[in-house]
Amino acid sequence: MNKLKEWFQTIFLTKIAEFSNKKYLVALRDGMVITVPFTILGSIFLIINNLPFEGWGEVVKPISGLLNAPVTVTFGLLSLIVVCGLSYQMAKLNKIDEITGTVIGLVSFILVMLTNSLEIDTSVYGSAGMFTAIIVALLSGEIMSFCIKRNWVIKLPDSVPPAVMKSFAALIPGSITILFFWLIRVVLKIDINALVTKLFAPLVVGINTFWGVLLVCFLMCALWTIGIHGNNVIGSISSPIFLTYLAANIEAVSNGQPAPYIAADGFLLFGMNLGGTGAIIGIALCMLTAKSERYRTLGKMSILPSVFGISEPIMFGMPIVLNPIFMFPFIGIPILLQGITYLLMQYDLIGRVVASAPWTTPPIISGFLITGGDWRAALWQGIEVIIAVAIYYPFFKMADKQALKEETN
């Protein structure tokens, strides 16, 4: 048993932690963050243009096109935003000039997305080019790094201004990078976007299924229980797919069509991230009834952060990590809530996610906003909080009783 415990702590956890800190995962995680303000901005205009009030459509009809313009230039250019964010992070991680790396990645992506007649088609710069943007950004960053490490650069005297020196230093690596993608798309006529879309199709389709969503929730929570940031590890893989679905939903709604996808970005606010990872707001509310000084104090400190989706005070203060009492509800509650939410959306009992809101938006409010103002979704989030409290409560009382016993002895 001791050998198993030692292997788990020194080898297994170390390997998982190393995996989560891999350069590509870090670049993907940090690079995707740049999309957040743009998706929120576009969502605000989308919500205003599609408020679920009788007669509202006629009120905004004269300016509907104006309100849709910010939606078009945010979600319609999402792939360009992604390739800029990831190219910047790759340049930063590879210790390359960030501006140069970003521009080379952007130019490479535009080159790759040319039509068969070698023309620019702006319609592919939305969610349709998301995965290609990720691959091009990662590849362009690595090609430039490869060249620079081998000193394939033009070196100028120290008297030359730094800005000019950086431009010339990037000339050869940048040219080789662009030449690489030019050979693939223009000379060999390989449609990288079509190929990437076909390769990722099984993963994209799988995550939008009932069991795919539950698997994502399970892996995120299970990793957290052993001290690994599950949102970062699994989210690095799932976030681009969820974001693609959100962009597709917004495009459909903007064109007066129903949202086609359930697992869009923001969907996890209905369970997995309800008041913090693991629907942890349930524990925060339970701690308001604590008899032990330890949990009574922790409850006062953690209730406000939990309302805004911050789970760390409870995650490490209770703790949830490596705590056998809370492992089962911490994993089970999000899976239960997310599964029920999936079915409710599938049968149109609550609205699907058609807008973006900051992850710190409190429950009930977030449900109302991201579904485009559906009061049923807001009500369901309120019910979810009650369910989370009810299931967490017996486990919490067990821990509270144990803490009280330790304090009185």
Side-chain angles (χ1 to χ4, degrees):
M1 181 61 73
N2 288 333
K3 287 185 178 180
L4 179 62
K5 185 178 180 181
E6 183 180 350
W7 172 85
F8 181 80
Q9 292 179 340
T10 60
I11 299 178
F12 179 75
L13 291 183
T14 301
K15 293 296 182 183
I16 292 291
E18 288 177 357
F19 175 75
S20 67
N21 289 318
K22 289 292 184 182
K23 179 168 64 176
Y24 302 130
L25 287 180
V26 172
L28 191 59
R29 181 190 68 215
D30 296 343
M32 293 293 291
V33 172
I34 194 175
T35 65
V36 174
F38 297 100
T39 56
I40 291 174
L41 175 64
S43 296
I44 291 172
F45 282 89
L46 180 75
I47 292 172
I48 294 173
N49 203 19
N50 296 275
L51 287 174
F53 303 135
E54 188 175 350
W56 181 255
E58 292 299 319
V59 173
V60 298
K61 190 174 183 180
I63 58 170
S64 180
L66 301 178
L67 291 173
N68 267 333
V71 180
T72 301
V73 297
T74 50
F75 287 95
L77 299 178
L78 203 55
S79 293
L80 290 179
I81 297 171
V82 167
V83 78
C84 287
L86 264 68
S87 296
Y88 178 89
Q89 292 299 330
M90 282 297 292
K92 186 177 179 181
L93 291 168
N94 286 328
K95 295 180 172 55
I96 301 171
D97 179 58
E98 289 91 345
I99 298 299
T100 302
T102 302
V103 174
I104 295 299
L106 177 62
V107 173
S108 299
F109 175 68
I110 294 174
L111 180 61
V112 162
M113 299 300 282
L114 291 176
T115 64
N116 291 330
S117 57
L118 304 182
E119 296 176 344
I120 292 177
D121 178 12
T122 57
S123 66
V124 298
Y125 293 150
S127 60
M130 180 83 71
F131 293 105
T132 305
I134 292 171
I135 291 174
V136 169
L138 298 179
L139 272 177
S140 65
E142 286 301 273
I143 294 172
M144 289 193 67
S145 177
F146 178 86
C147 296
I148 291 173
K149 285 179 179 178
R150 283 156 182 77
N151 287 319
W152 296 353
V153 297
I154 297 175
K155 295 183 179 180
L156 299 176
D158 293 338
S159 59
V160 175
V164 177
M165 189 177 295
K166 287 181 180 180
S167 297
F168 275 88
L171 182 59
I172 293 177
S175 299
I176 292 174
T177 303
I178 293 174
L179 180 63
F180 172 80
F181 291 108
W182 173 78
L183 287 171
I184 292 176
R185 184 67 188 105
V186 179
V187 178
L188 300 178
K189 299 185 183 302
I190 298 175
D191 190 340
I192 297 178
N193 191 53
L195 181 62
V196 169
T197 301
K198 187 175 292 185
L199 288 174
F200 278 87
L203 178 62
V204 172
V205 172
I207 283 188
N208 191 50
T209 63
F210 178 81
W211 295 111
V213 167
L214 298 193
L215 177 61
V216 169
C217 291
F218 171 77
L219 292 175
M220 283 184 175
C221 291
L223 287 174
W224 263 115
T225 61
I226 57 175
I228 304 297
H229 200 303
N231 299 62
N232 284 349
V233 177
I234 305 302
S236 298
I237 301 168
S238 62
S239 289
I241 300 175
F242 289 152
L243 191 57
T244 300
Y245 289 150
L246 176 61
N249 281 359
I250 287 177
E251 183 180 357
V253 172
S254 298
N255 294 324
Q257 300 170 352
Y261 296 106
I262 294 176
D265 190 47
F267 176 65
L268 296 185
L269 290 173
F270 283 98
M272 172 67 201
N273 295 325
L274 183 76
T277 304
I280 216 163
I281 192 172
I283 296 182
L285 292 172
C286 286
M287 282 196 288
L288 298 180
T289 67
K291 293 183 178 180
S292 64
E293 181 64 27
R294 172 185 173 182
Y295 290 131
R296 190 161 54 246
T297 303
L298 181 60
K300 293 176 182 178
M301 294 172 55
S302 62
I303 185 63
L304 189 60
S306 295
V307 169
F308 292 98
I310 300 170
S311 57
E312 278 75 6
I314 296 177
M315 198 75 74
F316 299 105
M318 178 158 257
I320 297 296
V321 175
L322 298 177
N323 188 334
I325 294 177
F326 288 102
M327 281 186 179
F328 175 76
F330 182 79
I331 296 174
I333 292 172
I335 290 177
L336 173 66
L337 297 179
Q338 214 68 68
I340 296 174
T341 302
Y342 188 97
L343 296 175
L344 291 174
M345 290 185 178
Q346 185 177 40
Y347 293 104
D348 297 321
L349 296 176
I350 64 174
R352 298 185 181 186
V353 180
V354 295
S356 180
W359 62 270
T360 52
T361 307
I364 301 177
I365 297 175
S366 63
F368 181 80
L369 292 177
I370 64 178
T371 55
D374 188 348
W375 65 268
R376 299 170 302 172
L379 176 62
W380 167 237
Q381 274 195 328
I383 295 172
E384 284 185 300
V385 172
I386 295 172
I387 293 173
V389 171
I391 299 178
Y392 268 126
Y393 188 74
F395 295 92
F396 169 73
K397 293 308 292 183
M398 190 188 309
D400 187 41
K401 183 177 180 181
Q402 183 176 325
L404 182 64
K405 184 178 181 181
E406 291 173 357
E407 290 174 0
T408 53
N409 287 343

